């Protein structure tokens, strides 16, 4: 490839540091598709003959079949997927293969392939998120009225329902899907035809190749088309945020599955044992989801640092853009599948959850709210009275609703027998009927909306 300019070939070191075929072979489907679109346009514009275009397109189909059956050969002397494919095309059809690269550069070629690959990765992530959402919504519907403790600072705060808790993750994943959708919309401009950096003097039809490849339009600036990777960074940003949500959900399952909590039994298929302790059932899949989120965040950081100081247009540093994206996409796919399986296969121990909610004075806020509503006491004063009641109950080893009316009235005489109707966990969750609250009626309404949005109705 360099024979006209260089007297000798690259050194062994240069060959090794320069070759990207070990990882960019993952782009072969996109590279074949973009090349076929390009040569069809060249023929339509009269830039290459119809016979040469047909030979090139047929050869590319043959190569695609070979790659599908046997994988992409790693010829480091040919550097990358583009040259490996072009070399094989020359073996198949002869000199006509050299016409394929008319009016394009490897710069716009790889930018196009990479956008197509990231677009496919976004679609895959969306499918995985939709599957996770369906699992969350189904289980939330099953447990819309199952009471569990809600936490702040990992301390018992107020009773909530398990359905409400699971639907919180539905909302998070809905935003994750919207971020990926926004990223997809922004990246969907075709760089093909930008050539090396300045466009081309051939009378190409960039609108035609953009349409063929499913882009909304060709990019408006050739320098920008070949030199920016903000679409990949935005993909990784969306993937990182999604992975953080998955990590939080995984962490909750890890805690809930521990013996002190005992809120959930995880499926055997997503758990492992111990090499020395036969009683162990470890939540390894959840722990790996939690760990993989760090690697995905690291992939984002890697690409941010790679791109931060590059002048226009293309620099070889950008060869390192693909590995973090490929790694993050693979990890995200695994994490989504693991958490979906975990939600679907988990056995929730709702009696244990309810018992935990009845401890820890989770209805203290309900006592304060009752004092505000029924005794017309300012909330700050009600908060103080309730704190005194909690202190008394704790000193006597009692739940709030186990205090006698005499004990409560000794704290404040404005408390009467009606208060006990507000102090059960059932009354507490039922009272939280504001829009988006934990009341079972609200949870069922949100589940119904989500089922409609997901096409489950």
């Amino acid at each position: 490839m360099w024979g006209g300019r260089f007297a000798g070939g690259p050194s062994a070191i240069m060959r090794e540091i320069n070759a990207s075929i070990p990882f960019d072979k993952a782009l072969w489907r996109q590279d074949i598709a973009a090349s076929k679109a390009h040569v069809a346009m060249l023929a339509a514009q009269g830039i290459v003959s119809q016979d040469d275009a047909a030979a090139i397109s047929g050869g590319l189909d043959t190569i695609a079949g070979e790659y599908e059956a046997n994988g992409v050969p790693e010829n480091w002397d040919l550097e990358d997927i583009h040259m490996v494919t072009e070399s094989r095309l020359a073996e198949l059809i002869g000199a006509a293969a050299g016409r394929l690269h008319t009016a394009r550069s490897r710069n716009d070629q790889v930018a196009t392939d990479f956008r197509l690959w990231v677009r496919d990765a976004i679609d895959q992530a969306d499918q995985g998120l939709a599957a996770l959402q369906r699992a969350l919504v189904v289980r939330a519907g099953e447990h819309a009225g199952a009471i569990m403790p809600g936490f702040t600072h990992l301390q018992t705060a107020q009773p909530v329902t398990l359905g409400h808790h699971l639907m919180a993750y539905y909302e998070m994943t809905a935003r994750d899907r919207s971020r990926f959708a926004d990223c997809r919309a922004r990246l969907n401009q075709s760089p093909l035809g930008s050539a090396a950096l300045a466009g081309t003097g051939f009378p190409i039809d960039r609108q035609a190749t953009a349409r063929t490849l499913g882009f909304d339009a060709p990019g408006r600036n050739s320098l920008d088309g070949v030199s920016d990777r903000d679409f990949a960074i935005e993909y990784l940003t969306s993937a990182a945020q999604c992975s953080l949500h998955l990590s939080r959900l995984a962490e909750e399952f890890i805690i809930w599955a521990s013996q002190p909590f005992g809120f959930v039994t995880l499926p055997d298929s997503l758990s492992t044992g111990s090499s020395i302790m036969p009683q162990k059932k470890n939540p390894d899949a959840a722990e790996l989801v939690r760990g993989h989120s760090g690697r995905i965040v690291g992939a984002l950081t890697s690409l941010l640092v790679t791109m931060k100081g590059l002048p226009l247009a293309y620099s070889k540093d950008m060869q390192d853009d693909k590995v973090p994206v490929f790694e993050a996409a693979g990890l995200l796919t695994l994490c989504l599948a693991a958490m979906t399986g975990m939600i679907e296969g988990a056995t929730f121990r709702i009696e244990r959850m309810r018992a935990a909610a009845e401890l820890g004075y989770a209805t203290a806020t309900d006592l304060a709210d009752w004092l505000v509503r029924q005794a017309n006491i300012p909330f700050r004063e009600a908060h103080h009275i309730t704190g005194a009641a909690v202190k008394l109950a704790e000193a006597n080893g009692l739940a709030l609703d186990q205090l006698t009316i005499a004990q409560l009235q000794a704290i404040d005489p404005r408390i009467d027998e009606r208060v006990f109707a507000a102090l059960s966990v059932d009354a507490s969750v039922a009272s939280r009927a504001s829009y988006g609250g934990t009341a079972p009626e609200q949870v069922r309404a949100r589940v119904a909306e989500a089922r409609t949005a997901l096409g489950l109705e």
Side-chain angles (χ1 to χ4, degrees), residues 140-159:
E142 293 172 1
H143 297 292
I147 293 172
M148 65 174 291
F151 299 96
T152 62
H153 308 278
L154 206 56
Q155 304 292 311
T156 298
Q158 293 176 318

Side-chain angles (χ1 to χ4, degrees), residues 10 79 246 335:
E79 296 184 11
L246 297 176
C335 291

